[in-house]
């Protein structure tokens, strides 16, 4: 069942079981600017490699390989030497550097290492391009272990922006943060 349009092109429904490109070529459907519609209720089954479809989230997560001494009252970059994952190789030198612009879900945490502290203020911060953009702080109770989480926040980032984890305290002397993965870490995940 077919007809011709104003240009003389044949229009209609083509019933086939398989389309194969000529040897040494690739199969192309439509031309640049065309819209190819998959009707409601249809299923696309893929047994091969899909490229260029949709969006795949990616990012990195890292934590310290040991403890780190933080001087009093100083904003200090947290050393994150161990990676849980780094899907695109964008994490290095305790820093996540953006390659592709998008919206990124960022979270972190800093845990202090079991020293007795009382009534001092602790700060965990996310830095973007060398300046604080997210901060979590608490006046610590009488405690020997305090974990200071930074709630997950979506931040728009562009290529070459970079994200780091910082810590500051007002103990009056050095304070050691821990290297336990669940206590100190930085997570960066591109979500759109």
């Amino acid at each position: 069942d077919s007809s011709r349009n104003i240009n003389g092109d044949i229009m209609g429904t083509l019933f086939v079981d398989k389309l194969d490109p000529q040897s040494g070529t690739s199969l192309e459907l439509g031309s640049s600017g065309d819209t190819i519609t998959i009707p409601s209720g249809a299923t696309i089954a893929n047994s091969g490699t899909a490229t260029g479809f949709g969006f795949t989230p990616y990012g990195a997560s890292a934590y310290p390989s040991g403890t780190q001494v933080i001087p009093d009252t100083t904003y200090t970059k947290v050393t994150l030497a161990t990676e849980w994952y780094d899907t695109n190789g964008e994490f290095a030198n305790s820093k996540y550097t953006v390659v592709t612009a998008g919206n990124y879900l960022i979270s972190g945490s800093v845990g202090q290492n079991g020293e007795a502290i009382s009534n001092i203020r602790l700060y965990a911060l996310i830095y973007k391009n060398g300046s604080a953009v997210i901060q979590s702080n608490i006046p610590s109770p009488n405690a020997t272990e305090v974990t200071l989480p930074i709630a997950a926040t979506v931040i728009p980032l562009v290529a070459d922006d970079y994200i780091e984890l910082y810590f500051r305290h007002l103990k009056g002397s050095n304070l050691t943060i821990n290297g336990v993965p669940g206590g100190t870490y930085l997570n960066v995940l591109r979500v759109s």
Side-chain angles (χ1 to χ4, degrees), residues 42-128:
T43 300
I44 298 175
N46 176 35
S47 298
T49 302
T51 59
F53 281 92
F55 172 78
T56 302
Y58 63 82
S61 182
Y63 61 94
S65 59
T67 60
Q68 180 179 351
V69 175
I70 308 292
D72 184 51
T73 71
T74 304
Y75 291 96
T76 304
K77 180 178 172 179
V78 177
T79 303
L80 304 168
T82 308
E83 296 176 2
W84 267 309
Y85 68 91
D86 182 6
T87 53
N88 287 352
E90 296 173 327
F91 193 88
N93 301 317
S94 302
K95 176 170 67 175
Y96 183 89
T97 303
V98 173
V99 172
T100 304
N103 292 310
Y104 287 77
L105 182 67
I106 300 171
S107 64
S109 177
V110 178
Q112 71 94 355
N113 201 44
E115 300 171 29
I117 56 176
S118 177
N119 298 317
I120 67 168
R121 191 160 287 277
L122 305 174
Y123 301 83
L125 308 100
I126 300 290
Y127 272 44
K128 171 187 167 187

Side-chain angles (χ1 to χ4, degrees), residues 22 25 29 32 35 38 54 58 80 95 104 115 134 153 169 182:
Q22 294 180 20
T25 66
L29 297 177
S32 178
T35 298
I38 308 297
Y58 63 82
L80 304 168
K95 176 170 67 175
Y104 287 77
E115 300 171 29
I134 307 170
T153 306
H169 66 88

Side-chain angles (χ1 to χ4, degrees), residues 18-23 25-27:
K18 183 178 180 182
L19 292 175
D20 271 330
Q22 294 180 20
S23 179
T25 66
S26 60
L27 182 65

